[in-house]
Amino acid sequence: MTTALTPIPHVQCSPEEAASTVAREISDLIRARRAAGRGVVLGLATGRTPLGIYAELARLHREERLDFSNVTAFNLDEYLGLRPGHPRSYRRYMREHLFDAIGLLAEQAHIPSSDVAPGQWEAHCREYERLIADAGGIDLQLLGLGRNGHIGFNEPGSERDTRTRVVELARTTREDAAGDFGGVDNVPERAISMGIATILSARRIRLLAFGVGKREIVERTLTSPPSPQLPATFLRGHSDVRLYADAAALGAAGGAR
Ligand code: F6R
């Protein structure tokens, strides 16, 4: 099934080419499933990286009538401790950057809640896993890559067998979000995130990384053995994972496969 040292196949391309390729893959999947009378389950990410894909999916909806009515979506993660509708919540992000533009209804779009009481954390996370399983599992999962190697909010130290749970955000993650929240102290300390095992259960995984700021972590992800210290390395060995990265992010790894 999985061999620890299988490399992550990667494609060097511009962010625009990656957006168009991955959005086309998603639209082909949606159309093929519709023709077969079936649905599609997408795993979605937030952050800067997937914005081009979302813009392209919105364009396909507008200009090529791509119909999302057979799609169910599950987001990777959500900050914990934000009131519903908070402008920096990932629910809000998804509405602004994708859901409203493609007509995805609230009942089709799942995101962990940002305001679960501590006594309900475990039940909420278990329920999220159950919803994913009931939907038939994730067909295609989009991922960005954190500077510290996180995928979703699986920070360094996350084990391969983790499922959706409450996580403590790493300092670097909170620093990276400081601009959005007007200072690092305003960034939530916790989030709810799909686990590594949840992500690895997706049938296809598309990881994206752009810009020189991702170069070091891309290099380490491509060359290090799978380890909780660098959670993205657990993607090695997945049967259908692909990294799309630009020349700035790939650096010396650009020529290798
Ligand atoms: C977002 C998420 C994170 C980001 C990562 C990269 O839902 O789970 O893992 O994908 O932090 O963020 P950007 O794309 O802003 O560089």
Side-chain angles (χ1 to χ4, degrees):
M1 195 187 75
T2 57
T3 43
L5 291 174
T6 307
I8 298 175
H10 55 271
V11 176
Q12 182 176 315
C13 58
S14 68
E16 294 75 23
E17 286 164 341
S20 135
T21 304
V22 176
R24 187 58 69 184
E25 180 176 14
I26 292 172
S27 90
D28 287 350
L29 183 60
I30 292 172
R31 289 193 161 113
R33 288 289 177 81
R34 177 180 310 286
R38 297 173 56 202
V40 177
V41 182
L42 298 178
L44 301 177
T46 57
R48 278 182 308 279
T49 307
L51 287 174
I53 297 176
Y54 297 156
E56 182 61 11
L57 289 174
R59 189 192 67 76
L60 292 172
H61 177 68
R62 250 185 354 258
E63 296 178 11
E64 297 185 16
R65 298 187 186 189
L66 178 62
D67 174 1
F68 288 80
S69 59
N70 64 335
V71 170
T72 305
F74 289 90
N75 265 74
L76 280 167
D77 42 24
E78 176 61 285
Y79 291 115
L80 200 48
L82 301 181
R83 61 176 163 72
H86 189 288
R88 295 301 171 203
S89 70
Y90 285 164
R91 179 166 292 282
R92 184 78 173 262
Y93 166 108
M94 290 307 301
R95 286 197 55 186
E96 282 174 6
H97 294 291
L98 186 66
F99 297 160
D100 287 353
I102 61 171
L104 208 72
L105 305 174
E107 56 266 33
Q108 293 173 267
H110 302 277
I111 304 183
S113 172
S114 62
D115 68 341
V116 194
Q120 294 302 311
W121 286 353
E122 216 186 304
H124 187 75
C125 295
R126 219 179 312 122
E127 174 67 3
Y128 203 65
E129 288 281 333
R130 190 190 63 75
L131 288 169
I132 295 173
D134 285 358
I138 292 170
D139 291 304
L140 189 152
Q141 176 69 56
L142 294 179
L143 293 178
L145 180 62
R147 270 199 298 148
N148 62 359
H150 73 207
I151 47 175
F153 277 143
N154 293 285
E155 303 285 23
S158 299
E159 298 286 346
R160 193 192 181 291
D161 62 359
T162 45
R163 291 272 166 190
T164 302
R165 69 207 186 288
V166 172
V167 295
E168 307 268 336
L169 295 177
R171 180 78 192 173
T172 52
T173 301
R174 295 182 66 229
E175 283 168 1
D176 286 347
D180 287 341
F181 283 89
V184 71
D185 292 340
N186 301 326
V187 181
E189 292 177 0
R190 295 188 183 86
I192 293 179
S193 178
M194 285 185 195
I196 302 283
T198 322
I199 291 170
L200 292 176
S201 300
R203 287 179 273 277
R204 302 185 203 178
I205 299 176
R206 301 296 176 248
L207 171 68
L208 299 104
F210 307 118
V212 71
K214 298 287 171 79
R215 180 176 294 190
E216 190 195 329
I217 197 62
V218 165
E219 161 98 35
R220 288 176 55 213
T221 298
L222 291 175
T223 56
S224 309
S227 143
Q229 294 324 308
L230 210 168
T233 54
F234 284 123
L235 297 171
R236 298 181 76 170
H238 186 277
S239 59
D240 191 350
V241 61
R242 199 174 302 151
L243 164 68
Y244 290 90
D246 61 1
L250 273 173
R257 264 184 93 90

